[in-house]
Amino acid sequence: NKEPVRVAVTGAAGQIGYSLLFRIASGDMLGKDQPVILQLLEVTPALKALQGVVMELRDCAFPLLADIVTSDDAEVAFKDADYALLVGAMPRKAGMERGDLLSANGGIFKPQGEALNKVASRDVKVLVVGNPANTNALIAQQNAPDLNPGQFTAMVRLDHNRAVSQLAEKTGKPVTSIQNLTIWGNHSSTQYPDLSAATVDGTPALDLVDREWYEKEYIPTVAKRGAAIIEARGASSAASAASAAIDHMRDWALGTPEGQWVSMGIPSDGSYGVPEGLIYGFPVKCSGGKYEIVQGLDVSDFSRGKMDATAQELQEERDEVRKLGLV
Ligand code: NAX
């Protein structure tokens, strides 16, 4: 019997949390043989609602759920955490400039980085979901100097899964037939869903769809899917975002399937000409709890332009948070 691991989740009373916690507790993230202790962080006014979620978690009688801790103090929620899913963030409100948004989120992710640095497991795996996810991950990372920078990642997996699903629909194939597509860059409208190396049942995807559709429809549809969900549902993606967070952490912890890769926002080591240090979506393979960038892919002029544009946006965000003294 395995010892329980500690999984911290912030923004736990929010709508993503409401999907995410039940799937972690049921073993979807770390395996059906891995007990978990949930350590849930919320702002003080949301603690009552969080208690309701905790009551429901208990009512599920999940065999793998060893314990639940709730707090409005990051040093309590992150204590000895093996995994930390940072979901709670300050959403963009009407009229907010990028600087305002980054500054508001700095107020959340700087102290959370410091708390992780102080109390989390030295091997903690951190996933930032809260937007702007890539730059929030950078802020947390830069405020946790005693942890390996590579332990901080941002979620582009929802974009990746959306890209798989859109291609499956177009080609009339099941999602399981699709392999090796990549989301490069920022989790924003500048992201680049790249089909250059993708295959559908082993056939190059770009032999099956026309270029015009790929450039003019597919890429913007994937990049703007979040807005389409809000328009239809009247609320932002929640269950699909939670599912992507489960996928990201599961693959990181337990490994990607043989011969396949996934997309993760990770600190750039300069691969593919991406400026070092930016938290940027890359194709990665995982095994033994570690991820590695897939090397040697061809980069066309079209891809180069897209990859540079999204890197440029992330550099601007980094410049902005540097000016604000957050990193
Ligand atoms: P909700 O507003 O439903 O929930 C957020 C929760 O976070 C609230 O309960 C709030 O009290 C809590 N919170 C705020 N500040 C906190 C702090 N300092 N410490 C702990 N908790 C705090 O938002 P939800 O729909 O769950 O979305 C959460 C975040 O995910 C948003 O920033 C959203 O933009 C982002 N998303 C990121 C996605 C991605 O692919 N990377 C996709 C989905 C989602 O849009």
Side-chain angles (χ1 to χ4, degrees):
N1 280 2
K2 289 188 176 175
E3 283 292 304
V5 295
R6 295 177 181 274
V7 182
V9 179
T10 75
Q15 51 149 9
I16 294 176
Y18 195 67
S19 288
L20 182 60
L21 301 178
F22 296 85
R23 295 200 50 201
I24 298 172
S26 72
D28 283 352
M29 187 168 95
L30 297 170
K32 298 288 183 188
D33 60 346
Q34 178 59 67
V36 294
I37 298 170
L38 286 175
Q39 305 192 154
L40 310 177
L41 183 69
E42 258 297 348
V43 295
T44 315
L47 285 176
K48 176 157 182 267
L50 183 59
Q51 274 321 308
V53 179
V54 169
M55 287 159 73
E56 285 203 73
L57 280 164
R58 296 204 193 281
D59 291 350
C60 293
F62 288 120
L64 293 170
L65 185 54
D67 199 5
I68 307 174
V69 175
T70 61
S71 185
D72 55 4
D73 178 350
E75 290 190 18
V76 173
F78 293 159
K79 179 76 182 141
D80 297 325
D82 300 293
Y83 301 87
L85 294 91
L86 309 188
V87 180
M90 179 69 74
R92 188 188 286 262
K93 300 199 180 96
M96 230 182 187
E97 297 296 329
R98 180 158 68 183
D100 303 333
L101 181 72
L102 291 170
S103 144
N105 278 289
I108 296 174
F109 287 87
K110 186 176 194 291
Q112 290 188 359
E114 290 165 349
L116 286 165
N117 193 55
K118 196 162 162 199
V119 301
S121 158
R122 297 302 83 184
D123 297 319
V124 65
K125 288 179 163 60
V126 183
L127 167 62
V128 176
V129 174
N131 282 321
N134 300 54
T135 296
N136 287 341
L138 182 74
I139 296 170
Q141 178 209 53
Q142 292 297 308
N143 288 282
D146 303 333
L147 298 173
N148 179 334
Q151 291 166 232
F152 288 81
T153 68
M155 189 163 97
V156 294
R157 184 60 177 265
L158 179 54
D159 309 297
H160 180 100
N161 289 348
R162 287 166 171 166
V164 167
S165 159
Q166 290 292 325
L167 181 61
E169 207 176 306
K170 176 73 175 179
T171 56
K173 298 286 185 179
V175 287
T176 48
S177 66
I178 290 165
Q179 293 189 357
N180 298 346
L181 63 76
T182 303
I183 304 295
W184 300 94
N186 201 1
H187 168 68
S188 76
S189 57
T190 67
Q191 66 175 262
Y192 172 39
D194 178 13
L195 294 183
S196 313
T199 57
V200 183
D201 279 336
T203 304
L206 291 177
D207 290 353
L208 298 172
V209 299
D210 65 67
R211 189 82 207 172
E212 176 85 3
W213 175 81
Y214 171 50
E215 291 183 15
K216 301 272 157 52
E217 273 187 57
Y218 179 75
I219 292 175
T221 299
V222 173
K224 293 181 193 154
R225 186 69 163 180
I229 301 280
I230 293 174
E231 166 66 24
R233 205 173 84 88
S236 59
S237 326
S240 55
S243 196
I246 295 279
D247 289 346
H248 177 115
M249 282 304 212
R250 184 198 58 231
D251 287 347
W252 188 4
L254 306 179
T256 40
E258 189 55 39
Q260 294 185 36
W261 73 67
V262 294
S263 308
M264 284 171 68
I266 57 169
S268 172
D269 62 358
S271 291
Y272 295 103
V274 176
E276 232 176 297
L278 293 179
I279 308 278
Y280 188 98
F282 279 102
V284 300
K285 291 183 174 178
C286 307
S287 86
K290 301 226 169 336
Y291 58 78
E292 200 176 301
I293 297 175
V294 176
Q295 298 292 346
L297 300 173
D298 288 332
V299 177
S300 66
D301 289 346
F302 177 77
S303 292
R304 186 77 264 161
K306 293 269 180 207
M307 287 160 68
D308 288 348
T310 189
Q312 174 68 35
E313 181 181 54
L314 282 168
Q315 271 181 301
E316 287 166 16
E317 291 183 17
R318 181 168 66 181
D319 290 345
E320 195 93 37
V321 293
R322 273 190 183 142
K323 255 194 279 167
L324 293 164
L326 295 169
V327 303

